[in-house]
């Protein structure tokens, strides 16, 4: 790579662990739920969400350890094949990048499941925090990589040694990356909207299954607002609680111009 380019392995190391680490609320939240299992009977849907949360956490931890296995496997495969450390580095970087993206997606799923469980129990601050982290998990790594490419191209364009052809090509690539950045911002916005719909729907009586279907649309590579709204629309407003009218309200329905709080009104109609 040239001095203006950033090696992929450096990019991976440069991405903060906050982008893929599970939210700090989750271990405490899970511990609280495990205590509740001993003293309360959880609803079936709560139990199902909790079981899925534990499964997804285990899958995430397995992906965490996969980094070491990738490095060890590639080292073993390179023995006797004459592959130098320098030749192995880009192969390893590519494999680690794939696993990094898998970890990011799985962390997003964990955070969303935890958010739906928290929302079911009325823990709105925890649920909203987990939704924010899920969106960061899903799109944070892509954002960092696009930003790095934009920065590298802007730096490259400052070089006086570039030919006109090279400058034009760099400007075209810069325009492409800026377009990707704008598209990514829209995806993050739509994802946040859809995940909040899933949370609201769950709070307003949607089953865990329906809320999960909505959430999956929010975690897709191309969040679909229209499809998500079709699923969520029936649950975005709290059901109205109908109350029977009082005797006075019934009276005013038939005699709207009479004030029975006055002596005259009371004498005439009571």
């Amino acid at each position: 790579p040239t001095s203006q380019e950033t090696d992929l392995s450096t990019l991976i190391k440069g991405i903060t662990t906050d982008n893929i680490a599970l939210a700090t609320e989750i271990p405490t939240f899970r511990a609280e739920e495990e205590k509740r299992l001993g003293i309360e009977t959880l609803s079936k849907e709560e139990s199902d969400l909790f079981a899925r949360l534990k499964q997804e956490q285990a899958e995430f931890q397995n992906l965490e350890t996969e980094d070491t296995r990738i490095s060890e496997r590639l080292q073993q495969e390179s023995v006797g094949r004459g592959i130098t450390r320098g030749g192995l580095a880009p192969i390893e970087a590519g494999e680690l990048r794939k696993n990094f993206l898998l970890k990011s997606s799985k962390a997003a799923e964990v955070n969303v499941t935890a958010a739906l469980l928290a929302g079911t129990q009325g823990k709105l601050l925890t649920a909203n925090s987990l939704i924010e982290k899920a969106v960061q998990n899903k799109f944070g790594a892509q954002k960092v990589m696009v930003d790095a490419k934009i920065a590298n191209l802007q730096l490259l364009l400052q070089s006086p040694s570039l030919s006109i052809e090279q400058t034009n090509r760099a400007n075209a690539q810069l325009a492409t990356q800026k377009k990707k950045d704008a598209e990514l911002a829209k995806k993050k916005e739509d994802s946040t909207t859809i995940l909040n719909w899933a949370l609201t729907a769950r709070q307003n009586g949607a089953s865990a299954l329906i809320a999960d279907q909505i959430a999956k649309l929010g975690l897709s590579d191309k969040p679909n607002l229209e499809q998500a709204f079709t699923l969520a629309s029936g649950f975005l407003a709290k059901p109205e609680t109908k109350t029977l009218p009082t005797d006075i309200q019934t009276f005013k329905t038939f005699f709207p111009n009479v004030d029975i709080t006055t002596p005259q009104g009371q004498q005439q109609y009571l």
Side-chain angles (χ1 to χ4, degrees):
T2 66
S3 59
Q4 289 85 13
E5 295 173 337
T6 303
D7 186 83
L8 182 56
S9 61
T10 303
L11 271 180
I12 291 176
K13 293 177 183 177
I15 298 171
T16 63
T17 54
D18 288 342
N19 285 335
I20 58 169
L22 296 182
T24 54
E25 295 95 327
I26 288 183
T28 302
F29 181 62
R30 176 175 165 178
E32 290 174 353
E33 294 308 300
E34 286 174 337
K35 288 181 182 178
R36 287 185 61 207
L37 286 173
I39 59 176
E40 297 180 21
T41 302
L42 298 181
S43 71
K44 183 180 184 305
E45 289 191 336
E46 281 182 290
S47 298
D48 290 345
L49 284 169
F50 184 61
R52 195 172 78 199
L53 176 62
K54 292 196 292 185
Q55 178 184 341
E56 289 173 347
Q57 280 187 279
E59 291 170 354
F60 175 82
Q61 296 301 331
N62 185 55
L63 288 170
E64 284 272 79
T65 59
E66 182 65 18
D67 284 345
T68 301
R69 292 196 290 267
I70 287 172
S71 297
E72 291 175 348
R73 174 174 56 80
L74 290 176
Q75 287 288 347
Q76 292 173 357
E77 291 176 355
S78 67
V79 174
R81 296 172 58 186
I83 301 177
T84 64
R85 179 58 189 168
L88 186 63
I91 300 174
E92 182 177 349
E95 292 296 311
L96 290 174
R97 178 180 179 277
K98 291 177 184 177
N99 194 54
F100 178 85
L101 295 176
L102 288 174
K103 285 190 290 184
S104 297
S105 294
K106 183 56 65 176
E109 291 177 16
V110 174
N111 284 326
V112 167
T113 299
L116 292 177
L117 182 55
T120 299
Q121 299 162 355
K123 300 175 182 177
L124 300 186
L125 289 178
T126 298
N128 288 329
S129 175
L130 291 167
I131 289 294
E132 291 178 8
K133 288 179 171 62
V135 175
Q136 178 65 12
N137 290 144
K138 178 65 180 178
F139 300 105
Q142 298 175 53
K143 172 65 174 172
V144 170
M145 291 181 180
V146 169
D147 285 348
K149 290 177 181 178
I150 289 175
N152 286 337
L153 287 165
Q154 289 174 333
L155 180 63
L156 179 64
L157 285 166
Q158 294 176 17
S159 172
S161 62
L162 289 182
S163 66
I164 294 177
E165 182 182 354
Q166 289 172 326
T167 299
N168 291 338
R169 187 161 58 245
N171 276 319
Q173 292 177 3
L174 181 60
T176 297
Q177 293 304 320
K178 286 185 175 181
K179 182 180 179 182
K180 287 183 180 180
D181 190 45
E183 291 172 347
L184 191 57
K186 182 65 166 60
K187 288 180 180 180
K188 289 179 66 175
E189 180 183 347
D190 290 349
S191 177
T192 300
T193 297
I194 293 172
L195 292 176
N196 281 321
W197 284 347
L199 182 59
T200 299
R202 185 72 189 99
Q203 292 168 330
N204 289 343
S207 67
L209 177 61
I210 291 177
D212 184 57
Q213 290 173 342
I214 298 168
K216 284 180 178 177
L217 290 171
L219 288 181
S220 66
D221 292 334
K222 295 181 180 180
N224 191 310
L225 284 173
E226 184 177 350
Q227 289 183 14
F229 185 76
T230 299
L231 286 173
S233 58
F235 302 98
L236 295 183
K238 289 185 178 180
E240 292 185 5
T241 302
K242 294 183 179 180
T243 58
L244 294 175
T246 64
D247 290 341
I248 292 177
Q249 288 172 329
T250 302
F251 179 88
K252 284 186 172 294
T253 300
F254 292 99
F255 304 100
N257 297 322
V258 176
D259 186 358
I260 60 173
T261 63
T262 65
Q264 294 86 349
Q266 292 173 5
Q267 184 178 3
Q268 185 176 1
Y269 289 96
L270 297 182

